[in-house]
Amino acid sequence: MILNLFLILFALVCVALVFFVLLQVPKQAGLSASMASGGSLLGGRGVEGGLVRITSALGAFFMLLALLIGYVSR
């Protein structure tokens, strides 16, 4: 029963993770462009900052669920 719940959550997190990764704007310019911009390197990121935070949280939840599924399925 608990394994089925973890598997359903895992599938939902996978779909959400793919969705939020695809929403992000690709950074084509590389490291040289971020060094040239100076102050904006650590500045506010607006919507992109929120997407990065959500993606990071989903990635952490993905790994936690993978470990829990591995532990429960033994």
Side-chain angles (χ1 to χ4, degrees):
M1 177 67 184
I2 192 82
L3 180 62
N4 290 337
L5 177 67
F6 283 155
L7 288 173
I8 291 169
L9 280 174
F10 191 70
L12 291 175
V13 168
C14 288
V15 169
L17 193 57
V18 168
F19 178 74
F20 281 107
V21 166
L22 290 176
L23 274 179
Q24 293 180 12
V25 177
K27 294 177 178 73
Q28 300 279 330
L31 185 60
S32 61
S34 66
M35 293 299 185
S37 64
S40 68
L41 181 63
L42 297 174
R45 295 170 63 166
V47 175
E48 286 183 40
L51 288 175
V52 170
R53 272 189 240 113
I54 291 172
T55 306
S56 300
L58 284 172
F61 197 50
F62 173 87
M63 289 195 286
L64 177 69
L65 280 173
L67 289 172
L68 286 173
I69 288 170
Y71 181 74
V72 170
S73 66
R74 287 184 179 220

